[in-house]
Amino acid sequence: MVRFGKKLTADQVPEWRGYYINYKLMKKKVKQYGQQLQQGEKDRRRVLKDFSKMLDDQIETIVLFLLEQQGRLASRIEKLGKQRAILAEQPDISAIAELREAYREVGLDLIKLLKFVDLNATGIRKILKKFDKRFSYRFTDYYVSSRSNHPYSQLQQVFKHVGVGAVVGALSRNLADLQERQGSYLSIYDQPASALKDPIIDMINSSVDKLTRSTNFLRFLGQHALIAQEESPSTAGEEEIEDQKYHFVSLMLNLVNTFLYMVNTYIIVPTADDYSVSLGAASTVCGVVIGSMAVAQVFSSVYFSAWSNKSYFKPLVFSSIVLFLGNVCYAMAYDTKSLTVLIVGRLLCGLGSARAVNRRYISDCVPARIRMQASAGFVSASALGMACGPALAGLLQWRFKIYMVTFSQSTLPGWLMAVAWLVYLVWLCISFKEPNRATEADDTQHNRASGQSVDIGQVENGLAQPLLGDSESKQNEDDDDDEEDDSEESPQDSRKPATSIGSAYRLLTPSVKVQLLIYFMLKYAMEILLSESSVITNHYFNWNTSSVAIFLAILGLTVLPINAVVGTYISNMFEDSS
């Protein structure tokens, strides 16, 4: 893997060497700042001020050179335009061919300038990332947002490159006008659909598009913070791969799995106390019966998460089978008069929890443009299942026997869910489509191939490769340390999976820890309320099973309006990220 510092040196245009970002110097400065802070020679505020000034100076050098080169290109196009005007009056085929070649030379120089901007923009992004990592400070957000929003911003020239668009437009129009069109010289504005594109224009447009996606910090900062390129799909090729992996019916099967699991969790809540009493236990034992499923889910989430690295279909099949068996055990506990069988049945149901697979499928296989809606659908399915579970329990108020098997308000939830999981298993086997994981490897190879340099021979044959290689860019982003800074943890190491609870905890940022704590407290309070609701309402209000079921169903339905607002309105205000 080529380190960015070496790549920057290798890819520089020799005569422009003094105008690139001095990445090596700035890395040394970041390291010195760290030592000065540790030794007390400088405080954090002074470091931020010095680093900002140094980066401002670097960007000013880049921008002034960029403007100078844009001016030269514009001047060359203007001179060529005068020659084109003369040829328009007195056409000469050989002179037109020479003029086209001159325009294409301008295009090749423009590609060099685009590569210059890309290398510098990548260097700016990397040094800001390195600074944040060294000092555990979100300086990038402040720096980019403050510079980009200022009326005299030089950073906008790097990230918006408005002048480049004007040069591209001039080249496109003039090359198209010089193209032979059955003896006429029509403008591309007259017949835009039929305008014949020159290969050099395709190359430039491809490079401009990639550069825009690579450096468009401003659009992301308009939301709330900097989002690095590797965190979201950045190319049309990656979007195609996402579309190939996406299968609507498979997504629906994951959401149905979520819905059925939540129904399975809460369908026993209104009757669990009566079931416990019928087996000779205290009514408060229903808390153990209900909670055992959640305890088993802690372990199931681990092996299902690991399993989903290889497959989505097999974990879902296994989950359905285990849940079927768990519900059968739960229902048979009444006739076997065994509290142990009852708890074992609920433990099996918890071990069949595939919610980790459901979330992973949405994250990996749903295109980014609808991922927020799919996530909202996941929450809606959970909330609807939480409401439907108790509601169904309130309807199952029958009691009868078939042979030696008893069907009552206590056992019917188990039998009903066993049948539901059996039907779901059949549907799953018929309709689920396993995503093609090989597509990602193919895309990586394609991106590596697209990172090749461009030469004039390729232009002549129309075989130009895209200027900026995505795979190479991502490699650079993952590895921005070199031999001069051994004290920093390798980003590649930081992306390795956690091997212990301690290593997993260290990977969590403070904001994630706070979110997890809030989520734990909410779930803790909710589970206490739900698991003991039947006991408390019976003790204080003499509610029957139907009353408890209605209360819990209404409680579950209160989640849906909020989730609908988030899924349909708020999700449209913010762009999804991968």
Side-chain angles (χ1 to χ4, degrees), residues 397-443:
Q397 299 299 307
W398 307 302
R399 183 179 181 86
F400 55 93
K401 266 194 172 186
I402 299 178
Y403 297 105
M404 301 297 293
V405 180
T406 303
F407 296 88
S408 65
Q409 66 173 11
S410 299
T411 62
L412 278 171
W415 292 118
L416 177 64
M417 293 312 303
V419 172
W421 285 114
L422 191 59
V423 172
Y424 174 80
L425 179 60
V426 174
W427 184 22
L428 181 72
C429 294
I430 295 173
S431 303
F432 190 85
K433 181 181 178 181
E434 184 76 72
N436 185 11
R437 295 173 181 270
T439 333
E440 297 176 5
D442 295 340
D443 181 58

Short mmCIF file of all heavy atoms in Angstrom, two decimals, residues 397-443:
data_model
loop_
_atom_site.label_atom_id
_atom_site.label_comp_id
_atom_site.label_asym_id
_atom_site.label_seq_id
_atom_site.Cartn_x
_atom_site.Cartn_y
_atom_site.Cartn_z
N GLN A 397 -58.60 -15.73 24.00
CA GLN A 397 -59.25 -16.02 25.27
C GLN A 397 -60.08 -17.31 25.21
O GLN A 397 -61.17 -17.39 25.77
CB GLN A 397 -60.14 -14.84 25.68
CG GLN A 397 -59.39 -13.53 25.89
CD GLN A 397 -58.36 -13.63 27.00
OE1 GLN A 397 -58.68 -14.05 28.12
NE2 GLN A 397 -57.12 -13.26 26.69
N TRP A 398 -59.59 -18.32 24.52
CA TRP A 398 -60.29 -19.59 24.42
C TRP A 398 -59.59 -20.65 25.27
O TRP A 398 -58.43 -20.50 25.64
CB TRP A 398 -60.34 -20.06 22.95
CG TRP A 398 -60.89 -19.02 22.02
CD1 TRP A 398 -62.10 -18.42 22.09
CD2 TRP A 398 -60.22 -18.45 20.90
NE1 TRP A 398 -62.27 -17.52 21.08
CE2 TRP A 398 -61.11 -17.52 20.31
CE3 TRP A 398 -58.97 -18.62 20.31
CZ2 TRP A 398 -60.79 -16.78 19.19
CZ3 TRP A 398 -58.65 -17.91 19.18
CH2 TRP A 398 -59.56 -16.98 18.63
N ARG A 399 -60.34 -21.74 25.47
CA ARG A 399 -59.74 -22.88 26.18
C ARG A 399 -60.38 -24.16 25.65
O ARG A 399 -61.59 -24.34 25.71
CB ARG A 399 -59.96 -22.77 27.69
CG ARG A 399 -59.29 -23.90 28.47
CD ARG A 399 -59.51 -23.75 29.98
NE ARG A 399 -58.85 -24.82 30.70
CZ ARG A 399 -57.58 -24.81 31.07
NH1 ARG A 399 -56.85 -23.74 30.82
NH2 ARG A 399 -57.04 -25.83 31.73
N PHE A 400 -59.54 -25.03 25.10
CA PHE A 400 -60.03 -26.32 24.61
C PHE A 400 -58.85 -27.29 24.54
O PHE A 400 -57.69 -26.88 24.69
CB PHE A 400 -60.68 -26.16 23.22
CG PHE A 400 -59.78 -25.53 22.19
CD1 PHE A 400 -59.00 -26.31 21.36
CD2 PHE A 400 -59.72 -24.14 22.04
CE1 PHE A 400 -58.18 -25.74 20.40
CE2 PHE A 400 -58.91 -23.56 21.10
CZ PHE A 400 -58.14 -24.36 20.27
N LYS A 401 -59.16 -28.56 24.30
CA LYS A 401 -58.15 -29.60 24.23
C LYS A 401 -58.29 -30.38 22.93
O LYS A 401 -59.38 -30.64 22.47
CB LYS A 401 -58.27 -30.56 25.40
CG LYS A 401 -57.40 -30.23 26.60
CD LYS A 401 -57.33 -31.40 27.56
CE LYS A 401 -56.31 -31.11 28.65
NZ LYS A 401 -56.12 -32.29 29.53
N ILE A 402 -57.13 -30.73 22.36
CA ILE A 402 -57.08 -31.64 21.21
C ILE A 402 -56.16 -32.78 21.62
O ILE A 402 -54.96 -32.57 21.80
CB ILE A 402 -56.58 -30.92 19.95
CG1 ILE A 402 -57.52 -29.78 19.56
CG2 ILE A 402 -56.43 -31.89 18.80
CD1 ILE A 402 -57.07 -28.99 18.35
N TYR A 403 -56.76 -33.96 21.79
CA TYR A 403 -56.04 -35.11 22.35
C TYR A 403 -55.53 -34.74 23.73
O TYR A 403 -56.29 -34.41 24.62
CB TYR A 403 -54.92 -35.57 21.41
CG TYR A 403 -55.44 -36.07 20.08
CD1 TYR A 403 -55.32 -35.29 18.94
CD2 TYR A 403 -56.06 -37.30 19.99
CE1 TYR A 403 -55.81 -35.73 17.72
CE2 TYR A 403 -56.58 -37.77 18.77
CZ TYR A 403 -56.45 -36.98 17.65
OH TYR A 403 -56.95 -37.41 16.45
N MET A 404 -54.22 -34.74 23.93
CA MET A 404 -53.68 -34.44 25.26
C MET A 404 -53.09 -33.03 25.33
O MET A 404 -52.45 -32.67 26.32
CB MET A 404 -52.58 -35.45 25.61
CG MET A 404 -53.06 -36.89 25.62
SD MET A 404 -54.31 -37.19 26.88
CE MET A 404 -53.34 -36.95 28.37
N VAL A 405 -53.29 -32.25 24.30
CA VAL A 405 -52.69 -30.91 24.23
C VAL A 405 -53.73 -29.86 24.59
O VAL A 405 -54.82 -29.83 24.02
CB VAL A 405 -52.13 -30.63 22.83
CG1 VAL A 405 -51.50 -29.24 22.78
CG2 VAL A 405 -51.12 -31.68 22.42
N THR A 406 -53.37 -29.00 25.55
CA THR A 406 -54.27 -27.95 26.02
C THR A 406 -54.01 -26.65 25.28
O THR A 406 -52.86 -26.21 25.14
CB THR A 406 -54.08 -27.71 27.53
OG1 THR A 406 -54.30 -28.94 28.22
CG2 THR A 406 -55.04 -26.65 28.03
N PHE A 407 -55.10 -26.05 24.83
CA PHE A 407 -55.03 -24.74 24.19
C PHE A 407 -55.80 -23.76 25.06
O PHE A 407 -57.03 -23.90 25.24
CB PHE A 407 -55.62 -24.78 22.78
CG PHE A 407 -54.87 -25.67 21.84
CD1 PHE A 407 -55.17 -27.03 21.74
CD2 PHE A 407 -53.85 -25.16 21.07
CE1 PHE A 407 -54.48 -27.85 20.87
CE2 PHE A 407 -53.15 -25.98 20.18
CZ PHE A 407 -53.46 -27.32 20.09
N SER A 408 -55.09 -22.77 25.61
CA SER A 408 -55.71 -21.77 26.49
C SER A 408 -55.07 -20.42 26.25
O SER A 408 -54.18 -20.29 25.41
CB SER A 408 -55.53 -22.18 27.96
OG SER A 408 -54.15 -22.17 28.31
N GLN A 409 -55.52 -19.42 27.03
CA GLN A 409 -54.95 -18.09 26.87
C GLN A 409 -53.46 -18.06 27.20
O GLN A 409 -52.72 -17.18 26.73
CB GLN A 409 -55.68 -17.09 27.75
CG GLN A 409 -55.50 -17.31 29.24
CD GLN A 409 -56.12 -16.18 30.06
OE1 GLN A 409 -56.83 -15.35 29.54
NE2 GLN A 409 -55.83 -16.18 31.36
N SER A 410 -52.99 -19.06 27.97
CA SER A 410 -51.57 -19.13 28.32
C SER A 410 -50.75 -19.82 27.25
O SER A 410 -49.60 -19.43 26.98
CB SER A 410 -51.40 -19.85 29.66
OG SER A 410 -52.06 -19.16 30.70
N THR A 411 -51.29 -20.87 26.63
CA THR A 411 -50.52 -21.65 25.67
C THR A 411 -50.74 -21.23 24.22
O THR A 411 -49.87 -21.44 23.36
CB THR A 411 -50.88 -23.15 25.80
OG1 THR A 411 -52.27 -23.33 25.49
CG2 THR A 411 -50.60 -23.64 27.20
N LEU A 412 -51.88 -20.62 23.92
CA LEU A 412 -52.17 -20.22 22.54
C LEU A 412 -51.13 -19.24 21.95
O LEU A 412 -50.82 -19.34 20.76
CB LEU A 412 -53.57 -19.62 22.44
CG LEU A 412 -54.71 -20.62 22.33
CD1 LEU A 412 -56.07 -19.93 22.46
CD2 LEU A 412 -54.63 -21.38 20.99
N PRO A 413 -50.60 -18.29 22.74
CA PRO A 413 -49.54 -17.44 22.17
C PRO A 413 -48.36 -18.26 21.63
O PRO A 413 -47.81 -17.93 20.56
CB PRO A 413 -49.12 -16.55 23.34
CG PRO A 413 -50.34 -16.45 24.18
CD PRO A 413 -50.99 -17.79 24.08
N GLY A 414 -47.98 -19.31 22.37
CA GLY A 414 -46.87 -20.14 21.89
C GLY A 414 -47.20 -20.88 20.62
O GLY A 414 -46.41 -20.92 19.67
N TRP A 415 -48.40 -21.50 20.56
CA TRP A 415 -48.80 -22.22 19.36
C TRP A 415 -48.95 -21.29 18.16
O TRP A 415 -48.56 -21.63 17.03
CB TRP A 415 -50.12 -22.97 19.59
CG TRP A 415 -50.00 -24.11 20.57
CD1 TRP A 415 -50.63 -24.25 21.76
CD2 TRP A 415 -49.18 -25.28 20.41
NE1 TRP A 415 -50.27 -25.42 22.38
CE2 TRP A 415 -49.38 -26.08 21.56
CE3 TRP A 415 -48.31 -25.72 19.42
CZ2 TRP A 415 -48.74 -27.30 21.76
CZ3 TRP A 415 -47.66 -26.94 19.60
CH2 TRP A 415 -47.88 -27.71 20.75
N LEU A 416 -49.55 -20.12 18.40
CA LEU A 416 -49.74 -19.16 17.31
C LEU A 416 -48.39 -18.73 16.72
O LEU A 416 -48.22 -18.69 15.50
CB LEU A 416 -50.51 -17.94 17.81
CG LEU A 416 -50.73 -16.82 16.79
CD1 LEU A 416 -51.61 -17.31 15.64
CD2 LEU A 416 -51.36 -15.60 17.45
N MET A 417 -47.43 -18.42 17.58
CA MET A 417 -46.12 -17.97 17.10
C MET A 417 -45.36 -19.11 16.43
O MET A 417 -44.60 -18.88 15.48
CB MET A 417 -45.30 -17.37 18.24
CG MET A 417 -45.87 -16.07 18.80
SD MET A 417 -46.32 -14.84 17.53
CE MET A 417 -44.76 -14.65 16.66
N ALA A 418 -45.56 -20.35 16.91
CA ALA A 418 -44.90 -21.49 16.26
C ALA A 418 -45.38 -21.63 14.82
O ALA A 418 -44.58 -21.83 13.89
CB ALA A 418 -45.17 -22.77 17.05
N VAL A 419 -46.69 -21.50 14.61
CA VAL A 419 -47.24 -21.56 13.26
C VAL A 419 -46.73 -20.39 12.42
O VAL A 419 -46.38 -20.55 11.24
CB VAL A 419 -48.78 -21.57 13.31
CG1 VAL A 419 -49.36 -21.45 11.91
CG2 VAL A 419 -49.28 -22.84 13.99
N ALA A 420 -46.69 -19.19 13.02
CA ALA A 420 -46.24 -18.00 12.29
C ALA A 420 -44.79 -18.17 11.82
O ALA A 420 -44.46 -17.84 10.67
CB ALA A 420 -46.37 -16.77 13.17
N TRP A 421 -43.93 -18.71 12.69
CA TRP A 421 -42.53 -18.89 12.30
C TRP A 421 -42.38 -20.00 11.26
O TRP A 421 -41.48 -19.92 10.41
CB TRP A 421 -41.67 -19.19 13.52
CG TRP A 421 -41.42 -17.99 14.36
CD1 TRP A 421 -41.85 -17.74 15.63
CD2 TRP A 421 -40.65 -16.83 13.97
NE1 TRP A 421 -41.42 -16.50 16.05
CE2 TRP A 421 -40.67 -15.93 15.05
CE3 TRP A 421 -39.96 -16.47 12.82
CZ2 TRP A 421 -40.04 -14.70 15.02
CZ3 TRP A 421 -39.32 -15.24 12.78
CH2 TRP A 421 -39.36 -14.37 13.87
N LEU A 422 -43.24 -20.99 11.29
CA LEU A 422 -43.18 -22.04 10.29
C LEU A 422 -43.57 -21.50 8.91
O LEU A 422 -42.91 -21.78 7.90
CB LEU A 422 -44.12 -23.19 10.68
CG LEU A 422 -43.99 -24.49 9.88
CD1 LEU A 422 -42.58 -25.06 10.00
CD2 LEU A 422 -45.02 -25.51 10.35
N VAL A 423 -44.62 -20.69 8.86
CA VAL A 423 -45.03 -20.06 7.60
C VAL A 423 -43.94 -19.12 7.10
O VAL A 423 -43.61 -19.09 5.90
CB VAL A 423 -46.36 -19.30 7.78
CG1 VAL A 423 -46.70 -18.49 6.53
CG2 VAL A 423 -47.48 -20.27 8.12
N TYR A 424 -43.36 -18.36 8.02
CA TYR A 424 -42.28 -17.43 7.65
C TYR A 424 -41.08 -18.19 7.08
O TYR A 424 -40.45 -17.74 6.10
CB TYR A 424 -41.85 -16.61 8.87
CG TYR A 424 -40.65 -15.74 8.61
CD1 TYR A 424 -40.77 -14.52 7.95
CD2 TYR A 424 -39.37 -16.14 9.01
CE1 TYR A 424 -39.66 -13.72 7.70
CE2 TYR A 424 -38.26 -15.36 8.75
CZ TYR A 424 -38.41 -14.14 8.11
OH TYR A 424 -37.31 -13.36 7.86
N LEU A 425 -40.75 -19.33 7.67
CA LEU A 425 -39.63 -20.13 7.19
C LEU A 425 -39.84 -20.58 5.74
O LEU A 425 -38.91 -20.53 4.93
CB LEU A 425 -39.44 -21.35 8.10
CG LEU A 425 -38.30 -22.32 7.74
CD1 LEU A 425 -36.96 -21.61 7.77
CD2 LEU A 425 -38.30 -23.50 8.70
N VAL A 426 -41.06 -21.00 5.43
CA VAL A 426 -41.36 -21.42 4.06
C VAL A 426 -41.22 -20.23 3.10
O VAL A 426 -40.61 -20.34 2.02
CB VAL A 426 -42.79 -22.01 3.98
CG1 VAL A 426 -43.16 -22.31 2.53
CG2 VAL A 426 -42.90 -23.26 4.83
N TRP A 427 -41.78 -19.09 3.46
CA TRP A 427 -41.66 -17.89 2.64
C TRP A 427 -40.20 -17.49 2.44
O TRP A 427 -39.77 -17.12 1.35
CB TRP A 427 -42.46 -16.76 3.29
CG TRP A 427 -42.50 -15.49 2.49
CD1 TRP A 427 -42.29 -15.34 1.15
CD2 TRP A 427 -42.74 -14.17 2.99
NE1 TRP A 427 -42.40 -14.02 0.77
CE2 TRP A 427 -42.68 -13.27 1.88
CE3 TRP A 427 -43.03 -13.65 4.24
CZ2 TRP A 427 -42.87 -11.91 2.02
CZ3 TRP A 427 -43.22 -12.28 4.38
CH2 TRP A 427 -43.15 -11.43 3.28
N LEU A 428 -39.43 -17.59 3.52
CA LEU A 428 -38.01 -17.23 3.48
C LEU A 428 -37.27 -18.11 2.48
O LEU A 428 -36.48 -17.61 1.66
CB LEU A 428 -37.41 -17.37 4.88
CG LEU A 428 -35.94 -17.01 5.05
CD1 LEU A 428 -35.76 -15.50 4.95
CD2 LEU A 428 -35.42 -17.50 6.40
N CYS A 429 -37.50 -19.40 2.54
CA CYS A 429 -36.79 -20.33 1.66
C CYS A 429 -37.16 -20.11 0.19
O CYS A 429 -36.34 -20.34 -0.71
CB CYS A 429 -37.09 -21.78 2.06
SG CYS A 429 -36.44 -22.23 3.68
N ILE A 430 -38.37 -19.67 -0.06
CA ILE A 430 -38.83 -19.47 -1.44
C ILE A 430 -38.36 -18.14 -2.02
O ILE A 430 -37.92 -18.06 -3.17
CB ILE A 430 -40.37 -19.55 -1.51
CG1 ILE A 430 -40.85 -20.96 -1.15
CG2 ILE A 430 -40.88 -19.16 -2.90
CD1 ILE A 430 -42.36 -21.07 -1.03
N SER A 431 -38.39 -17.08 -1.21
CA SER A 431 -38.26 -15.72 -1.76
C SER A 431 -36.97 -14.99 -1.44
O SER A 431 -36.65 -14.00 -2.11
CB SER A 431 -39.44 -14.86 -1.27
OG SER A 431 -40.67 -15.44 -1.64
N PHE A 432 -36.24 -15.41 -0.41
CA PHE A 432 -35.06 -14.62 -0.02
C PHE A 432 -33.94 -14.76 -1.05
O PHE A 432 -33.68 -15.85 -1.57
CB PHE A 432 -34.54 -15.05 1.35
CG PHE A 432 -33.49 -14.13 1.90
CD1 PHE A 432 -33.84 -12.99 2.60
CD2 PHE A 432 -32.14 -14.40 1.73
CE1 PHE A 432 -32.87 -12.13 3.12
CE2 PHE A 432 -31.16 -13.55 2.22
CZ PHE A 432 -31.54 -12.42 2.93
N LYS A 433 -33.29 -13.64 -1.35
CA LYS A 433 -32.19 -13.62 -2.29
C LYS A 433 -30.92 -13.20 -1.56
O LYS A 433 -30.82 -12.09 -1.05
CB LYS A 433 -32.49 -12.63 -3.43
CG LYS A 433 -31.39 -12.56 -4.48
CD LYS A 433 -31.74 -11.55 -5.56
CE LYS A 433 -30.63 -11.42 -6.59
NZ LYS A 433 -30.96 -10.41 -7.63
N GLU A 434 -29.95 -14.10 -1.52
CA GLU A 434 -28.68 -13.81 -0.84
C GLU A 434 -27.89 -12.77 -1.62
O GLU A 434 -27.70 -12.92 -2.84
CB GLU A 434 -27.86 -15.10 -0.72
CG GLU A 434 -26.56 -14.93 0.06
CD GLU A 434 -26.78 -14.84 1.56
OE1 GLU A 434 -27.10 -15.85 2.19
OE2 GLU A 434 -26.64 -13.71 2.09
N PRO A 435 -27.48 -11.67 -0.99
CA PRO A 435 -26.68 -10.65 -1.71
C PRO A 435 -25.38 -11.25 -2.23
O PRO A 435 -24.80 -12.14 -1.61
CB PRO A 435 -26.41 -9.58 -0.64
CG PRO A 435 -27.43 -9.82 0.40
CD PRO A 435 -27.72 -11.28 0.41
N ASN A 436 -24.94 -10.73 -3.37
CA ASN A 436 -23.69 -11.19 -3.98
C ASN A 436 -22.53 -10.43 -3.36
O ASN A 436 -22.26 -9.30 -3.71
CB ASN A 436 -23.73 -10.97 -5.49
CG ASN A 436 -22.50 -11.53 -6.18
OD1 ASN A 436 -21.73 -12.26 -5.57
ND2 ASN A 436 -22.33 -11.19 -7.44
N ARG A 437 -21.84 -11.08 -2.45
CA ARG A 437 -20.73 -10.41 -1.76
C ARG A 437 -19.50 -10.30 -2.66
O ARG A 437 -18.60 -9.52 -2.38
CB ARG A 437 -20.35 -11.17 -0.48
CG ARG A 437 -21.47 -11.15 0.55
CD ARG A 437 -21.15 -12.04 1.73
NE ARG A 437 -22.25 -12.03 2.69
CZ ARG A 437 -22.36 -11.18 3.69
NH1 ARG A 437 -21.43 -10.26 3.87
NH2 ARG A 437 -23.38 -11.22 4.52
N ALA A 438 -19.45 -11.07 -3.72
CA ALA A 438 -18.29 -11.00 -4.62
C ALA A 438 -18.27 -9.69 -5.38
O ALA A 438 -17.25 -9.28 -5.91
CB ALA A 438 -18.32 -12.15 -5.61
N THR A 439 -19.42 -8.98 -5.42
CA THR A 439 -19.48 -7.72 -6.17
C THR A 439 -18.50 -6.70 -5.62
O THR A 439 -17.92 -5.92 -6.35
CB THR A 439 -20.90 -7.13 -6.08
OG1 THR A 439 -21.82 -8.16 -5.87
CG2 THR A 439 -21.25 -6.39 -7.34
N GLU A 440 -18.32 -6.70 -4.29
CA GLU A 440 -17.43 -5.72 -3.68
C GLU A 440 -16.00 -5.95 -4.13
O GLU A 440 -15.26 -5.01 -4.42
CB GLU A 440 -17.54 -5.81 -2.15
CG GLU A 440 -18.93 -5.49 -1.65
CD GLU A 440 -19.03 -5.68 -0.15
OE1 GLU A 440 -17.99 -5.96 0.47
OE2 GLU A 440 -20.14 -5.53 0.39
N ALA A 441 -15.57 -7.23 -4.19
CA ALA A 441 -14.22 -7.52 -4.64
C ALA A 441 -14.03 -7.13 -6.10
O ALA A 441 -13.00 -6.58 -6.48
CB ALA A 441 -13.92 -9.01 -4.46
N ASP A 442 -15.05 -7.40 -6.91
CA ASP A 442 -14.97 -7.00 -8.32
C ASP A 442 -14.86 -5.50 -8.46
O ASP A 442 -14.12 -4.99 -9.29
CB ASP A 442 -16.21 -7.49 -9.08
CG ASP A 442 -16.29 -9.01 -9.13
OD1 ASP A 442 -15.24 -9.64 -8.92
OD2 ASP A 442 -17.41 -9.53 -9.35
N ASP A 443 -15.60 -4.77 -7.63
CA ASP A 443 -15.56 -3.31 -7.69
C ASP A 443 -14.19 -2.79 -7.29
O ASP A 443 -13.69 -1.83 -7.87
CB ASP A 443 -16.62 -2.73 -6.77
CG ASP A 443 -16.65 -1.21 -6.82
OD1 ASP A 443 -16.85 -0.67 -7.92
OD2 ASP A 443 -16.46 -0.58 -5.77
#
